[in-house]
């Protein structure tokens, strides 16, 4: 429940591997958000997590990357990332704008192939995101997460998010 809400990315280590758009200088770099819980259900479907890029070179269009997400049975601080994976374009969270699907993939390998990942990356296990720090659950709370398994291009990435709502 403490993870539920809209989270703004405020710092990252290696995020350019996740999205090259995050390497752009201001004012061209879009803002990055993560959506979990009820807001994710509304925007991308039940049992899913959403990532959104908006602003900068994208203007008012928000790019949405979503996937299934389950709390790991081995460690409740870990989210197991599951297919199907979708990349969509639409409006900002809460706008009610229809999203247009650009890519949909039914497996990690298929999604990584669509992202021009190596054969090694396509064979890698599913991604796992470990929540290494969570400061309460209210607005302004901080959360640190790390990619601990999966696509070798993003394993080791660290994300610091601040809760917006």
């Amino acid at each position: 429940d403490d993870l539920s809400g809209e989270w703004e990315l405020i710092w990252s280590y290696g995020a350019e591997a996740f999205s090259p758009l995050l390497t752009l200088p201001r004012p061209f770099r879009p803002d990055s958000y993560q959506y979990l819980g009820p807001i994710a259900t509304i925007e991308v479907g039940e049992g899913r997590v959403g990532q959104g890029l908006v602003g900068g070179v994208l203007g008012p269009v928000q790019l949405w990357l979503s996937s299934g997400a389950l709390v790991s049975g081995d460690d409740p601080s870990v989210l197991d990332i599951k297919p199907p994976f979708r990349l969509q374009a639409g409006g900002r969270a809460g706008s009610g704008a229809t999203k247009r699907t650009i890519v949909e993939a039914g497996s990690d390998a298929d999604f990584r192939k669509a992202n021009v990942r190596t054969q090694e990356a396509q064979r890698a296990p599913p991604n796992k995101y470990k929540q290494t720090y969570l400061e309460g659950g209210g607005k302004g709370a901080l959360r640190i997460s790390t990619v601990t398994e999966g696509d070798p291009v993003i394993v080791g990435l660290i994300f610091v998010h601040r809760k917006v709502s």
Side-chain angles (χ1 to χ4, degrees):
D1 288 342
D2 286 342
L3 293 180
S4 291
E6 178 180 21
W7 296 82
E8 179 180 17
L9 180 66
I10 59 171
W11 184 86
S12 65
Y13 169 77
E16 63 277 359
F18 184 76
S19 174
L21 292 173
L22 295 176
T23 65
L24 296 172
R26 291 281 181 208
F28 306 106
R29 182 177 61 234
D31 293 320
S32 178
Y33 295 90
Q34 189 172 63
Y35 306 94
L36 297 145
I39 190 169
T41 298
I42 291 165
E43 295 292 343
V44 294
E46 181 73 33
R48 298 179 65 74
V49 60
Q51 308 285 335
L53 295 175
V54 66
V57 296
L58 299 173
V61 172
Q62 183 158 328
L63 288 181
W64 291 85
L65 174 61
S66 66
S67 64
L70 298 172
V71 174
S72 175
D74 299 335
D75 182 346
S77 70
V78 173
L79 290 178
D80 293 331
I81 305 303
K82 305 286 187 185
F85 301 95
R86 287 188 201 107
L87 177 62
Q88 298 175 298
R92 182 86 170 86
S95 70
T98 302
K99 295 172 185 61
R100 181 177 50 85
T101 300
I102 301 166
V103 175
E104 182 158 351
S107 71
D108 290 276
D110 288 345
F111 191 71
R112 293 171 186 162
K113 184 176 182 178
N115 282 287
V116 195
R117 298 285 203 256
T118 65
Q119 290 288 325
E120 175 192 9
Q122 292 174 42
R123 289 189 301 270
N127 294 337
K128 292 182 180 276
Y129 284 74
K130 182 168 182 64
Q131 310 310 301
T132 57
Y133 177 79
L134 178 60
E135 176 186 75
K139 185 176 180 178
L142 296 177
R143 178 172 55 93
I144 301 171
S145 55
T146 304
V147 181
T148 59
E149 290 183 44
D151 183 343
V153 171
I154 64 171
V155 168
L157 270 60
I158 301 168
F159 301 95
V160 178
H161 288 89
R162 179 178 40 233
K163 194 166 194 175
V164 176
S165 64

